[in-house]
Amino acid sequence: MIITKAEFVVSNSDVSKCPNEPLPEYAFIGRSNVGKSSLINMLTNNKNLAKTSGRPGKTQLINHFKINNNWFLVDLPGYGYARVSKSTKKVFQKFITQYFEKRHQLVCAFVLVDVRHEPQKIDLEFMHWLGENSIPFAIIFTKADKLKPNAIERNVEAYRQTLLETWEEFPPYFVTSSESRLGKEELLQYIEDINKSLR
């Protein structure tokens, strides 16, 4: 798949105000500062589409981008570590939960994980929550340009071992780098394959 058109549609914190079109949605979510905005900009060939920031927790709304007029990329707030007040955090954790529970257009969530770190409790808990709620998801390991291939393999394997302690199988995963564009084609192909299967 080649993305030729990516347009911002709407930002909000109210799931009922999300676009009402019957297009498949792919939600991108991860801990603050995991490189989500950079990844979205890399996938869409638009360095200004999602706002990147050195300050974690920049995305605080549900952002819908329409891609090639036939699917939505949804940029969700990060969880954990964001420099926002506890009450603000509660509010946006609530609408993240509502988004996943109520959006029937959602076909897959992409959970972004920084490949440089060992499995983090907050990421594992979120994946378990998705699993318990029967929400299909894949893992995107980000910042692969910061590690050597052996270290990447070792860290991905650590995730696999940890998840397989309680899961029957390891979810689909992608190793990516916004700098080198590693994983871009595979990830877009995965989305395209799902879209074709829905037709």
Side-chain angles (χ1 to χ4, degrees), residues 87-104:
S87 57
T88 308
K89 203 173 278 188
K90 258 197 186 130
V91 168
F92 68 69
Q93 280 175 341
K94 186 179 173 194
F95 70 69
I96 289 171
T97 306
Q98 285 180 335
Y99 172 83
F100 283 113
E101 288 174 344
K102 294 182 177 179
R103 264 326 251 179
H104 57 269

Side-chain angles (χ1 to χ4, degrees), residues 121-151:
K121 185 169 179 256
I122 192 167
D123 293 325
L124 295 169
E125 283 175 353
F126 183 67
M127 290 178 203
H128 281 296
W129 182 84
L130 290 174
E132 282 166 4
N133 287 276
S134 305
I135 295 157
F137 74 92
I139 301 171
I140 296 178
F141 291 98
T142 61
K143 307 191 181 185
D145 54 287
K146 307 277 196 283
L147 286 182
K148 295 202 159 63
N150 284 352

Side-chain angles (χ1 to χ4, degrees), residues 69-84:
N69 285 330
N70 68 3
W71 58 279
F72 280 110
L73 185 159
V74 185
D75 181 10
L76 292 172
Y79 47 80
Y81 306 142
R83 276 191 227 150
V84 293

